[in-house]
Amino acid sequence: MPHAAITTELILGGQKSGKSRRAELLARDWLAQAGDHRAVLIATAEAWDDEMRERIARHQRDRAARVPGLQTVEEPHDVAAAVARHSAAHTLVVVDCLTLWLTHWTMPFGVETMDIEQKQALDHIWQSQAAMFFEAIRQSPGPVVLVGNEIGLGVIPMGREVRAFVDALGTLNQQVAQLCPRVTLMAAGLPLILKEPRP
């Protein structure tokens, strides 16, 4: 990883691209910079089944070993409030990941049985949540590192709902990228800097 000043950053990539590892390394470097620095990870994953529970537990063990000072807060829904609550001048906040957060709001359990009005109400709530989240990033006195998936590079999905999700995630990524001084794309564990802070 290049030794650049730590700033608010969006890290995108595919599965196992190294995006979460980059966020952890940024948190580790931030903690090493000063004794009063703190780092908080806002984890958006939920354990739907045994495999997901084991995956979450494994990630927790690995993070604790790699970055012992990184505090973890589980918040799958109200990420805006979590960012606002933990942001401080000497605190780096990591959100991992935006994709699961979007999934919780746009494709919750039971969405296939909702009628049009219920889906429209859910979309309205999501838009409100996203607006509050963008404002929390703008107002954060310390750096915020945001991890998300880039899933729009493969074949076009067959289902309407999945196509809508890919579109929504692409829109979310673009909106967040506009707010971040640095945007990094990860591939095979290597960072490609798409956007750098202006000098």
Side-chain angles (χ1 to χ4, degrees), residues 26-40:
L26 288 170
R28 185 194 66 187
D29 291 349
W30 174 261
L31 290 168
Q33 285 181 0
D36 63 345
H37 276 189
R38 295 176 60 247
V40 177

Side-chain angles (χ1 to χ4, degrees), residues 152-172:
L153 299 175
V155 297
I156 298 173
M158 293 292 290
R160 180 179 63 182
E161 291 80 7
V162 179
R163 286 195 299 271
F165 179 81
V166 173
D167 288 347
L169 182 59
T171 299
L172 176 63

Side-chain angles (χ1 to χ4, degrees), residues 52-73:
M52 193 64 176
R53 274 187 284 276
E54 173 52 33
R55 180 181 289 262
I56 291 172
R58 185 172 67 250
H59 284 310
Q60 291 171 339
R61 290 191 300 269
D62 292 346
R63 276 198 308 270
R66 288 192 293 261
V67 193
L70 180 60
Q71 176 191 353
T72 299
V73 174

Side-chain angles (χ1 to χ4, degrees), residues 9-185:
E9 178 174 345
L10 172 62
I11 305 171
L12 295 172
Q15 192 166 340
K16 289 297 180 184
S17 62
K19 57 189 184 296
S20 293
R21 181 65 61 88
R22 177 178 173 87
E24 290 175 4
L25 291 174
L26 288 170
R28 185 194 66 187
D29 291 349
W30 174 261
L31 290 168
Q33 285 181 0
D36 63 345
H37 276 189
R38 295 176 60 247
V40 177
L41 170 75
I42 299 170
T44 64
E46 283 187 302
W48 300 298
D49 52 33
D50 290 341
E51 187 275 335
M52 193 64 176
R53 274 187 284 276
E54 173 52 33
R55 180 181 289 262
I56 291 172
R58 185 172 67 250
H59 284 310
Q60 291 171 339
R61 290 191 300 269
D62 292 346
R63 276 198 308 270
R66 288 192 293 261
V67 193
L70 180 60
Q71 176 191 353
T72 299
V73 174
E74 295 184 9
E75 181 47 70
H77 294 98
D78 200 352
V79 176
V83 170
R85 184 166 56 251
H86 293 283
S87 292
H90 299 294
T91 300
L92 180 143
V93 175
V94 178
V95 178
D96 194 353
C97 75
L98 298 180
T99 313
L100 285 174
W101 176 51
L102 175 66
T103 303
H104 298 322
W105 280 109
T106 60
M107 300 180 73
F109 181 76
V111 68
E112 64 278 356
T113 63
M114 290 182 181
D115 60 29
I116 295 295
E117 289 184 359
Q118 289 173 316
K119 289 180 179 179
Q120 288 175 340
L122 185 65
D123 182 65
H124 180 73
I125 296 171
W126 158 248
Q127 295 300 331
S128 176
Q129 286 287 323
M132 290 187 291
F133 175 68
F134 301 149
E135 188 60 24
I137 296 172
R138 290 189 194 96
Q139 297 297 325
S140 176
V144 182
V145 175
L146 304 142
V147 178
N149 291 83
E150 174 50 74
I151 64 173
L153 299 175
V155 297
I156 298 173
M158 293 292 290
R160 180 179 63 182
E161 291 80 7
V162 179
R163 286 195 299 271
F165 179 81
V166 173
D167 288 347
L169 182 59
T171 299
L172 176 63
N173 288 343
Q174 289 190 46
Q175 291 170 315
V176 174
Q178 291 296 315
L179 300 174
C180 295
R182 180 178 292 121
V183 179
T184 304
L185 178 66

